[in-house]
Amino acid sequence: MSPVMDSGTSSARRSRSGSPDPLASNAGTTLPYAARSALHLKGLVPSGVEDFCVQEQRALEQLNTKSTNLEKYIFLSWLRSTNSHLFYRLVLHNLREIAPVIYTPTVGQACEEYSHIYPFLAPPNAVDGLYVPINEVENIEEIIQNYKESIKEDDTPEITVITDGSRILGLGDLGMNGMGIPVGKLQLYVAAAGLNPDRCLPIVLDFGTNNAKFLDDPLYLGLRQQRPDDAEFYACANRVISALHTAFPHMFIQFEDFSTDHAFGLLDQWRNQALCFNDDIQGTGCVILGGFISAVEQAQVHPKDQRILFVGAGSAGVGVAKQLVDYFVIEHKIPEDQAKAMFWFVDSRGMITANRGDKLAAHKVYFARRDNGNVQCANIEEALEYVKPTALIGLSTIYKAFNENILSRMNQLNQHARPIIFPLSNPESKAECTFEEAMRCTNNRVLFASGTAFPSYTIPETNQVCVPGQGNNMYVFPAIGLGAVLCKPLRITDTMIYAVSKALANSLNEEEKQLGELYPRIERIRSVSAELAAAFIRQAVREGLAKDQKWVEIAKSGLAEGSDPDGLFALDMLEEVKKFMWLPAETFEQLRAAHPHYHHHPVVHSDSDH
């Protein structure tokens, strides 16, 4: 007879951190003596009581002792699970250094190793999201109920990032190991835009994997089976999404790193039924459009004369291009057919044309060339000579696809203008070129943005230090999530996304413009996110889709005539958005205010209260 488990396990013992008391967990060594007595911790912890600055200094010191970024990732994950306020203080005070550790590029390696490091990312039994195996989809309501029992009643999720791990970054099918992406993405929602970390829900659909490496790995923690066919995939995925929408009807759903066809399919099916968004399709296009607007303004080529060559035609590439088409149509009043004709695509079979001889995937048909006659280009080099582009954009995940010959040729083709070169693939091992290579091959004239972070480049002749633009989705998806959570639109439209792109381009300050930078400095991400969220909300109100009447009333005073998304917002809207952005506690008094509901102990006062 199997042992009977205690079904009355308290939610506190199953909480995210595994701690029986969130105040004690997040205070740690800063917990005052009086609170220690009330929590029956006297004699169970060291006697020293320190302030939050010293606590943060110790954590940073430990972080810097780690010799690899993966070790830093593991350390920070444990810290987030045990003391979320300290974790987010550390992130916000050291964002440029820590963002590449908790997300790209380090998260790629963390995902590849996820089954090997999972037990060391959090205390045992800590709950940090949902793992939904395909053979348990019929029990999804039970899984959701289990999650509800692990959180406080007032911590109903406001936002989820959901993946099936089938196309993680440029690394391919990682199966259940893809959970690192939703976890990392939600950390950026919190750090960059102030979403409440207790109301963020990462989800991985464990629908198997076709990656033999993981199927043969004895330590792999996911299902050891092949992925389902399309019919079964959509039936199971829709069953999960429907159950989530029923349980949490106001929750913002972000689809992440699904295979290309499934990414488009899920977005098309759900975008008018639930509050949802795909960062690979819409977010990538949004952030690249923001940088592209700035680049076009500096390129010394009239917008209608731009010729844009894309290398890579997956969901991200096509999504980006469609948003650039919208820019030319809306901003420069170029008819859609003419704007679309400014774009050429190269995929693994060469330049995409309607008469290439193969059956094109549905999402590629829109940009297939029909004006090429008998010309077919087998590779990037041939397409470069045929198109003679002013802008070269890479989402191919092919390392060094923009070799020095291609970069030098781009420079030659644009002698009277500045070439636009955006190698956007992640991580660095998949990037089409580096910032240094682009600078050297274009005589330092390139207008550059990348998907991964590259170091600054010093021009040898002048010792001028140039900072590369990074088209990091972190600039936009947190703001879109914040705006959606606040104003609760019926759906997210392309024009709302466009308004965010415009607001991003508008957010550059005078210093950044004078230096020719395409994106604001990452240290300003919180203030930029507030501006972008305000622009998003204003556009949602203009379109009559915002359900929260509070934001409708605030926006009314700042609405102008016309409906074209302009990325503008009123200052009172901006100030109101900032009030709703979560920040980690900087003092014990703030921390105590953040945990008002206690059932384990009486009200306690810090020693400074006496």
Side-chain angles (χ1 to χ4, degrees):
M1 182 175 178
S2 60
V4 176
M5 300 300 293
D6 176 16
S7 61
T9 302
S10 72
S11 63
R13 281 163 51 202
R14 299 167 58 201
S15 70
R16 298 169 185 235
S17 68
S19 166
D21 191 283
L23 179 65
S25 175
N26 284 290
T29 52
T30 70
L31 196 65
Y33 289 121
R36 296 180 185 192
S37 295
L39 294 171
H40 307 289
L41 294 175
K42 187 182 295 183
L44 304 183
V45 293
S47 59
V49 177
E50 57 193 6
D51 63 32
F52 279 35
C53 291
V54 174
Q55 188 185 57
E56 187 178 330
Q57 180 183 346
R58 178 184 291 106
L60 190 60
E61 179 185 87
Q62 280 300 305
L63 179 66
N64 290 332
T65 66
K66 309 303 177 185
S67 58
T68 69
N69 278 343
L70 185 60
E71 290 175 318
K72 292 180 179 181
Y73 178 94
I74 294 169
F75 171 80
L76 288 169
S77 179
W78 186 277
L79 181 63
R80 181 181 59 85
S81 297
T82 55
N83 190 333
S84 62
H85 284 261
L86 174 56
F87 169 79
Y88 283 109
R89 288 201 307 275
L90 205 65
V91 171
L92 288 174
H93 296 162
N94 305 273
L95 188 59
R96 184 174 290 276
E97 294 77 21
I98 292 181
V101 177
I102 61 176
Y103 203 59
T104 55
T106 307
V107 72
Q109 182 186 3
C111 284
E112 290 183 299
E113 302 289 336
Y114 199 78
S115 288
H116 293 246
I117 64 177
Y118 171 78
F120 315 110
L121 300 178
N125 300 321
V127 177
D128 197 21
L130 298 184
Y131 297 80
V132 184
I134 196 167
N135 55 11
E136 291 286 355
V137 165
E138 62 184 23
N139 299 316
I140 184 60
E141 286 81 10
E142 178 187 351
I143 292 173
I144 292 173
Q145 184 58 36
N146 289 342
Y147 182 77
K148 287 182 176 180
E149 292 174 5
S150 77
I151 61 176
K152 294 185 296 185
E153 289 184 9
D154 55 353
D155 281 345
T156 299
E158 295 177 326
I159 180 172
T160 181
V161 176
I162 182 170
T163 187
D164 70 344
S166 57
R167 193 186 59 83
I168 297 298
L169 302 174
L171 302 172
D173 182 356
L174 302 189
M176 184 282 305
N177 287 342
M179 182 56 146
I181 295 294
V183 170
K185 208 95 179 187
L186 287 167
Q187 291 172 28
L188 298 185
Y189 272 105
V190 176
L195 276 294
N196 188 327
D198 292 331
R199 297 178 183 175
C200 294
L201 174 56
I203 301 176
V204 63
L205 303 179
D206 185 2
F207 285 8
T209 178
N210 295 340
N211 192 326
K213 172 185 174 182
F214 299 120
L215 293 174
D216 296 337
D217 183 352
L219 297 183
Y220 180 60
L221 290 169
L223 286 180
R224 297 174 186 274
Q225 64 185 55
Q226 295 287 311
R227 289 189 175 276
D229 60 22
D230 282 355
E232 185 180 4
F233 167 83
Y234 281 114
C236 292
N238 290 334
R239 176 81 170 80
V240 173
I241 297 165
S242 179
L244 287 167
H245 185 53
T246 299
F248 311 116
H250 302 298
M251 183 170 66
F252 173 76
I253 300 171
Q254 187 203 303
F255 299 117
E256 180 73 16
D257 284 353
F258 285 84
S259 66
T260 298
D261 289 345
H262 292 167
F264 279 100
L266 288 172
L267 183 62
D268 289 344
Q269 180 161 352
W270 285 98
R271 66 184 306 170
N272 293 318
Q273 299 183 53
L275 186 58
C276 65
F277 165 78
N278 185 298
D279 189 44
D280 300 304
I281 298 171
Q282 297 163 290
T284 301
C286 180
V287 73
I288 300 312
L289 175 55
F292 189 79
I293 291 171
S294 299
V296 168
E297 291 173 353
Q298 300 178 45
Q300 300 159 9
V301 174
H302 193 280
K304 69 178 178 61
D305 295 325
Q306 288 285 347
R307 300 169 64 84
I308 303 144
L309 178 61
F310 270 76
V311 179
S315 61
V318 172
V320 168
K322 285 186 174 180
Q323 284 168 279
L324 298 192
V325 169
D326 289 342
Y327 160 68
F328 288 113
V329 172
I330 295 170
E331 191 75 12
H332 299 288
K333 309 305 178 187
I334 300 172
E336 182 181 350
D337 285 348
Q338 293 180 30
K340 182 175 69 170
M342 297 162 63
F343 292 79
W344 288 259
F345 271 82
V346 172
D347 65 9
S348 59
R349 294 174 178 265
M351 186 172 71
I352 296 177
T353 65
N355 62 347
R356 193 168 65 176
D358 59 330
K359 180 175 173 55
L360 296 176
H363 69 278
K364 296 182 183 181
V365 173
Y366 179 82
F367 284 106
R369 302 300 300 195
R370 291 169 173 79
D371 58 354
N372 57 301
N374 295 321
V375 176
Q376 304 292 340
C377 300
N379 51 43
I380 304 174
E381 288 82 358
E382 291 182 12
L384 201 69
E385 296 305 320
Y386 176 71
V387 175
K388 295 180 171 52
T390 57
L392 182 63
I393 299 178
L395 280 155
S396 66
T397 70
I398 299 174
Y399 183 60
K400 303 291 186 183
F402 300 166
N403 58 43
E404 293 197 2
N405 290 336
I406 288 173
L407 294 172
S408 296
R409 185 59 179 147
M410 275 294 292
N411 187 48
Q412 294 167 3
L413 291 169
N414 293 277
Q415 282 298 304
H416 303 294
R418 297 183 66 185
I420 298 171
I421 298 175
F422 284 16
L424 300 176
S425 294
N426 265 317
E428 185 177 347
S429 61
K430 305 286 183 178
E432 288 82 5
C433 70
T434 67
F435 182 48
E436 178 181 349
E437 290 164 349
M439 288 289 282
R440 284 194 291 102
C441 293
T442 63
N443 297 327
N444 309 312
R445 300 186 311 115
V446 67
L447 291 164
F448 180 95
S450 60
T452 195
F454 285 112
S456 300
Y457 175 73
T458 302
I459 299 175
E461 295 80 7
T462 63
N463 287 325
Q464 179 185 350
V465 178
C466 300
V467 178
Q470 184 187 2
N472 193 327
N473 292 26
M474 178 180 173
Y475 281 114
V476 297
F477 70 77
I480 292 169
L482 176 62
V485 165
L486 292 180
C487 77
K488 299 177 176 61
L490 289 172
R491 59 185 176 274
I492 294 175
T493 65
D494 291 342
T495 39
M496 292 177 200
I497 303 297
Y498 184 92
V500 171
S501 296
K502 283 285 291 180
L504 178 60
N506 295 342
S507 71
L508 289 169
N509 60 32
E510 287 307 314
E511 180 185 0
E512 290 158 348
K513 290 177 183 177
Q514 289 174 6
L515 291 172
E517 296 178 7
L518 305 184
Y519 292 101
R521 295 292 175 95
I522 198 70
E523 289 82 4
R524 298 199 301 114
I525 189 68
R526 296 260 315 183
S527 62
V528 170
S529 291
E531 293 178 14
L532 272 55
F536 175 95
I537 293 171
R538 177 175 177 270
Q539 186 63 29
V541 173
R542 292 178 83 183
E543 296 178 28
L545 294 174
K547 292 189 295 182
D548 192 317
Q549 197 61 30
K550 166 192 173 71
W551 298 99
V552 175
E553 295 300 323
I554 294 172
K556 275 183 179 178
S557 61
L559 290 183
E561 293 296 324
S563 59
D564 283 353
D566 50 24
L568 303 178
F569 51 84
L571 287 179
D572 57 344
M573 171 78 78
L574 177 62
E575 292 307 311
E576 195 66 21
V577 166
K578 290 179 179 178
K579 292 178 184 177
F580 286 86
M581 295 174 70
W582 182 91
L583 276 169
E586 298 280 354
T587 66
F588 179 75
E589 286 71 23
Q590 291 178 5
L591 183 63
R592 185 176 58 191
H595 293 278
H597 306 297
Y598 290 112
H599 308 290
H600 310 297
H601 54 76
V603 174
V604 298
H605 300 278
S606 71
D607 300 306
S608 62
D609 292 338
H610 298 287

